[in-house]
Amino acid sequence: MKAISEDDVQKAVDWLRDNAEACAKARATRIYLEEYRKSIKALLMSKYQDLSVSAQEREAYAHDDYISHLKTLKEAIYQDERLRFFRASAEVKIDAWRTQQANIRAIKI
């Protein structure tokens, strides 16, 4: 296994710092769109008040606005998960380096 350099760790720390805002924004967008999906459904269902509730729900789910929202939500989830995986990768690299450094110190004792 290749040793993790301090430069690699610094790059990981820098990435975490430099991308904190983008990560937070991606997460906020995802959560907002997940919650807003409920509002869209309610608004669309209200257009079909003459139908039963299950028929209102069917019409809302089939509506172009709802389908368009799902596509937007899909992209938001992708961006959030992508950044989450990058964050996790950087954190694992830092943790592995810490372990590596602890092992080096243990050998020296």
Side-chain angles (χ1 to χ4, degrees):
M1 182 164 126
K2 180 184 163 204
I4 300 169
S5 71
E6 288 187 30
D7 187 49
D8 291 338
V9 172
Q10 188 59 52
K11 287 177 185 175
V13 170
D14 291 345
W15 189 93
L16 289 169
R17 181 199 62 229
D18 295 344
N19 289 282
E21 187 74 26
C23 292
K25 185 176 180 181
R27 185 75 173 154
T29 299
R30 175 186 182 167
I31 292 169
Y32 171 79
L33 290 171
E34 287 173 343
E35 295 301 316
Y36 188 60
R37 182 185 66 211
K38 299 169 192 173
S39 296
I40 288 176
K41 178 183 169 187
L43 291 168
L44 293 171
M45 285 178 70
S46 71
K47 291 182 178 184
Y48 304 99
Q49 291 183 356
D50 55 323
L51 301 175
S52 68
V53 173
S54 61
Q56 289 176 19
E57 189 173 43
R58 180 193 65 228
E59 294 300 320
Y61 285 145
H63 197 280
D64 288 342
D65 290 349
Y66 192 83
I67 293 167
S68 175
H69 180 75
L70 290 179
K71 289 177 184 175
T72 303
L73 178 58
K74 176 183 173 186
E75 180 60 27
I77 291 169
Y78 168 78
Q79 291 299 332
D80 182 36
E81 290 298 311
R82 180 176 163 271
L83 290 171
R84 185 175 68 86
F85 290 137
F86 283 139
R87 280 191 315 270
S89 175
E91 290 167 356
V92 165
K93 184 177 285 186
I94 293 165
D95 287 344
W97 177 80
R98 284 181 185 147
T99 300
Q100 175 183 300
Q101 294 303 305
N103 290 341
I104 290 169
R105 284 191 303 276
I107 291 170
K108 289 181 181 178
I109 293 178

